[in-house]
Amino acid sequence: MLILGLGGSIHDFSACLLHEGKIVCAIEEERLSRSKQAFVDASTFRCKAARYCLDYAGVTEKDVDLIIGADNIESRYFARYVPGIRLMNHHLAHAASAFYPSPFTEAAVLVADGRGSYLDRENKIVETVTYYAAGGAEIREISKIAGRESDDFRNVSNSAGLFYLAVTEEIGFGPMYDEKTLAVSAYGTDRLAEPFRAFYSLDDEGGFSQTLGQMNELRSLIRAELGRSESGGELFRTKADAAYAVQVHLERILIHACRYLHKRTGSDNLCLAGSVFLNHAAVNRLLRETPFKRLYLPPAPGDAGAAMGSALYGHYVLGGHHREALLPATPYLGKPYPAEAMEEAARKAGDFLEEVKTEDINGQAARLLSEGNLVAVFRGGAEFGPKALGNRSILADAGFPGNISRLNSAKKREAFRPFDYIVLEEDAGKAVPPQGERRFQAHEAGAYASGRLDDAESVGASPADRTDPAGPVNPVNPVNPVNPVNPVNPASLATPATPVTPVNPVAPVAPANPPGLTTEETAQMHAISPGLNAEMVALLQNYKRITGCPLLLNTSFNLDGEPMVETPAEAVRCFLKAELDVLLMGNKLYRRKKTEGEALA
């Protein structure tokens, strides 16, 4: 059975092709349209992601047995497939994307985003949070939280996702840039944490309630605080305090929801999906401070992941297939490009590139990294989801003087945003990011094993841990316990946390202790195994042999505001525009030719 799943809503469109229950290909529309988040516009009609998947598999639309997607996808995206497309509930598609690829035979599933399917379109009632119990091929709804859209579509009541987005917008970031709010929260204090309590409430059934009036009051408070701030440092601190406060309360809301869900299901396994769970600091806290023992987060938890969920639901539920032995999932679901295409892209840029001849590409790349070079990697299929995991990555030695500043400049990104790390799975429990020149040191770790968070749970502290909204943190056997700078401890906002016993705890990293600062920055650490990405493991092993360090700074291969590169030509263009040092493309290495000014420097 050949199934085409479509994902998205009014943004983050995507497609996934499934054959006999196996994912053949999946891609986000933004990688093809080159428009970040692929917001709905005239190009939406083209549905490039579906064509990409079908072409890669060598099939046509006529060969597809089922086309399926969520019922809140902008209709223009699937117009070419009407009337044959089948539409399903948006949150159920999210739940399917989290449970079916997971290693669990049964699990509790929590879905939370900005807004999902309309439950009452006339009255603008939409789903915002849904609780499920899953087992075998069945995903059963336990309960649901719904909210009302404002007349201008901007706000939704009872929505944890829109609660966070309201702060993101008010402090000056655009829609879909919540990750910047999370980054800024690391610089904030608890000054606004208590006032934010007035803008929502929790109940005994895991419920979260926030009226449209409270959302407006929240926005008004932030505007007033910003209006009282002077420009420069004071204004930034006010924005950071607002970000800190919403992060504190988002974590409180999600911990509350997960404790309720565990009480209802009794499961030790938790699956998460929905855009809210792109917030990695909150996700890591859920495993530490709820009764769940194991957690699975799909590589694309946002709306793009609904393409995979829809296709898998079509296979298991509509197709009536039994869910048997689970194979390791992989995030590398884009099509690999032939060597000829990569060599042609390099040849066209011959005036700016020179090949580095080597018999051992991973060994040579590791040596160049150890010498302080910024190395872009383009090989294999692209990652599905927002995280680069070694196939569309820029790598660097974080401890090499000047590297982090160079990367920020190259990617044209704000200095307050953290970078991630990539580490050998065998070293995930003891790896410590080197002390770089940043004012804050990464200390939070999460690990992807076979494309999922699995057996390497984080016990690091997020910024909000210092205000302890849901009770004390209970790390198990930390190697390097976090030592916050000037921690603050207001009265607890909820019941004490339940300890968690992770299988292979990843040690939190002691942050830098710069004078005058009261917070730490957080970043993610992704563990790579040979079964997930053998080439990246080989590179890391060589780097470890040379330097003694098993991890590298890892960021997505793109410029700020752009999607990750998808084609060899885009890889070369981005590499040159960012003025990186070395390009590892396919099985060849290229060095950027220095300009006359650089050569003389």
Side-chain angles (χ1 to χ4, degrees), residues 153-333:
F153 194 69
R154 188 180 187 188
N155 295 328
V156 176
S157 64
N158 309 330
S159 170
L162 269 295
F163 178 24
Y164 205 92
L165 176 60
V167 177
T168 295
E169 290 182 338
E170 294 301 334
I171 64 177
F173 302 131
M176 312 304 296
Y177 282 98
D178 285 346
E179 78 275 8
K180 294 188 179 183
T181 302
L182 172 58
V184 169
S185 73
Y187 296 74
T189 71
D190 71 323
R191 183 175 64 87
L192 296 177
E194 186 63 25
F196 270 43
R197 291 185 65 179
F199 301 127
Y200 73 97
S201 61
L202 304 177
D203 63 30
D204 294 336
E205 298 299 312
F208 160 70
S209 176
Q210 183 178 62
T211 67
L212 290 174
Q214 286 175 315
M215 290 199 75
N216 289 329
E217 291 169 6
L218 166 69
R219 289 179 180 271
S220 295
L221 172 67
I222 297 172
R223 290 171 190 167
E225 290 288 335
L226 294 173
R228 285 192 288 269
S229 302
E230 300 290 339
S231 59
E234 183 180 354
L235 184 62
F236 179 83
R237 283 190 291 272
T238 300
K239 293 180 177 182
D241 288 348
Y244 182 103
V246 76
Q247 182 67 29
V248 165
H249 290 287
L250 177 69
E251 293 179 8
R252 180 194 181 208
I253 290 162
L254 295 178
I255 290 170
H256 177 74
C258 285
R259 288 176 178 167
Y260 164 78
L261 184 56
H262 183 270
K263 182 179 178 181
R264 287 294 304 270
T265 65
S267 177
D268 288 335
N269 306 317
L270 175 63
C271 296
L272 302 170
S275 59
V276 167
F277 299 111
L278 290 166
N279 189 306
H280 63 267
V283 169
N284 285 328
R285 218 166 161 216
L286 296 181
L287 193 59
R288 300 197 313 274
E289 300 185 37
T290 73
F292 291 106
K293 296 179 181 178
R294 290 170 292 276
L295 182 153
Y296 176 81
L297 180 72
D303 283 354
M308 183 185 298
S310 297
L312 290 168
Y313 181 86
H315 174 75
Y316 287 114
V317 178
L318 302 182
H321 292 92
H322 180 65
R323 188 165 172 263
E324 298 177 343
L326 303 174
L327 297 175
T330 175
Y332 309 110
L333 297 173

Side-chain angles (χ1 to χ4, degrees), residues 439-516:
R439 296 180 300 162
F440 301 90
Q441 184 58 57
H443 67 266
E444 180 174 88
Y448 268 105
S450 299
R452 60 180 180 269
L453 281 167
D454 181 357
D455 293 342
E457 294 89 355
S458 167
V459 294
S462 74
D465 288 339
R466 291 171 295 107
T467 57
D468 207 14
V473 180
N474 293 287
V476 181
N477 300 324
V479 178
N480 258 330
V482 175
N483 296 304
V485 184
N486 301 325
V488 288
N489 290 292
S492 176
L493 303 180
T495 56
T498 303
V500 174
T501 305
V503 180
N504 288 314
V506 178
V509 179
N513 190 358

